[in-house]
Structure formats: C-alpha cells, structure tokens
Amino acid sequence: MTPVLRTERLLLDPYTPEDEEAFVALFQDTRVSRWMGDGPTTEAEDRALFGRVFTKVYAEDLFDVWAVRRDGRLVGHAEIKRTDEVDGHEIIYALAPEAWGSGLGTEVAEAVVRHAFDGLGLTEVHATVAAPNTASLALLTRIGFTHVRDVREDDGSTTRVLTRRREPAAARPRPRAM
C-alpha cells in the first residue's frame, strides 16, 4: 500500500478518483509529458493510465504511486518501481510548470529516495532522464545521483541512467537524543 510522504511544503499521497482531471491536465501538458516515457500521449490514453493506477497498481499493490500536492492542490506525480531498463528500482517524478524553479522537484525526489532507502530497504535507486532534460539531470546530480551509462534509444536520442547508492550506516547522521 502506497504510504503517505511529507516534505516541508508537499504532501505525497495516493491518488483519489477526484484527481482524474488534474492528472490528465498534468500529463497532457507537453512541457511535462515530453520528458515522460515515450513522450506525449492522447487524452484517452492518459485517462486509461489514470484508471490503471486504481485497477492494477493500487489493486495489486504493484508499486508506489503518489499524487504530489501543495496546499491541497495537485502539482505533480511521483512513483518508484522496479524496471528492467535499470535492472532495479527507478524513481519517476513530474511537476506542473507552475511549480518549476522553486525547489519542489528536489523535495519530491528526496522524499521518494528516502522512502526507497528507509521504507523499502533498497541499497540503490536509479533514474532515467532524456539527455536534453538538463534541469532534471542537474537536480539529480545535486542530490547525490551519479551518471552510470547512456542508452541509445530507437529514435536516436540518448537517455542517461543515474544511480544513487545508500550511504553506509556509519556515514549517516545519527539521530540526537532529546
């Protein structure tokens, strides 16, 4: 079951049926969808995808998928799932353009990575990013991801694969006693 995650300004929680219009609007915005999967899709495909979040992903507890909310309003999407492309768990996140440039992407990515390490017990997580998506590449590098390889796509484009490994326990800050 997808857990609720909180950051300083965001709430990551499971989608509700009432989120459909905002979800479709996010995925139909080509400024967002150009970086997701194979790029923009039809509205009908995005509505079907939203439906599968409930009928497959949540119903079968396949992986964690979150609505990203700020002040109660849907501003993004996040997930973590095992993929063959990276032979491990991949984080995926997207924010609406009005949320860009304010550090919210860092909050989302850090929250999902923290969940991967502390909640799922993973020792490493991956991200795949289109080479021209310099904003996401910079964000991931800032939070400790390193470039491990490139994948040449069928259309000739390049996808960068980045990995972040969990710090050994000795290197992690210890909680202070109160």
Side-chain angles (χ1 to χ4, degrees), residues 75-93:
V75 297
H77 170 87
E79 55 188 78
I80 183 167
K81 64 183 176 184
R82 180 158 182 72
T83 64
D84 290 338
E85 187 171 8
V86 298
D87 192 27
H89 283 75
E90 179 179 0
I91 69 164
I92 297 162
Y93 60 91

Side-chain angles (χ1 to χ4, degrees), residues 146-165:
T146 55
H147 174 248
V148 293
R149 66 184 165 93
D150 288 339
V151 174
R152 176 66 77 190
E153 302 294 349
D154 292 341
D155 66 1
S157 65
T158 300
T159 297
R160 303 227 186 278
V161 178
L162 298 97
T163 299
R164 179 169 162 185
R165 289 179 176 77

Side-chain angles (χ1 to χ4, degrees), residues 100-150:
W100 294 355
S102 61
L104 295 178
T106 299
E107 283 186 40
V108 170
E110 284 280 31
V112 176
V113 168
R114 193 169 34 258
H115 171 65
F117 293 154
D118 298 341
L120 300 177
L122 301 175
T123 58
E124 65 180 18
V125 291
H126 310 276
T128 57
V129 181
N133 189 348
T134 55
S136 265
L137 290 168
L139 181 159
L140 291 166
T141 300
R142 268 194 319 275
I143 66 168
F145 280 77
T146 55
H147 174 248
V148 293
R149 66 184 165 93
D150 288 339

Side-chain angles (χ1 to χ4, degrees), residues 13-114:
D13 65 349
Y15 282 101
T16 66
E18 294 75 34
D19 292 322
E20 183 172 1
E21 295 309 316
F23 176 95
V24 170
L26 176 70
F27 279 66
Q28 282 293 293
D29 189 321
T30 55
R31 295 169 294 176
V32 176
S33 61
R34 69 184 285 216
W35 304 120
M36 309 245 339
D38 293 326
T41 56
T42 67
E43 180 179 335
E45 289 170 309
D46 289 338
R47 288 189 187 284
L49 175 62
F50 185 77
R52 285 192 304 277
V53 167
F54 295 94
T55 62
K56 295 287 289 174
V57 178
Y58 291 158
E60 298 176 21
D61 198 21
L62 297 179
F63 54 90
D64 295 326
V65 177
W66 295 274
V68 178
R69 303 178 200 283
R70 182 172 188 193
D71 300 325
R73 199 169 71 75
L74 185 85
V75 297
H77 170 87
E79 55 188 78
I80 183 167
K81 64 183 176 184
R82 180 158 182 72
T83 64
D84 290 338
E85 187 171 8
V86 298
D87 192 27
H89 283 75
E90 179 179 0
I91 69 164
I92 297 162
Y93 60 91
L95 287 175
E98 61 269 15
W100 294 355
S102 61
L104 295 178
T106 299
E107 283 186 40
V108 170
E110 284 280 31
V112 176
V113 168
R114 193 169 34 258

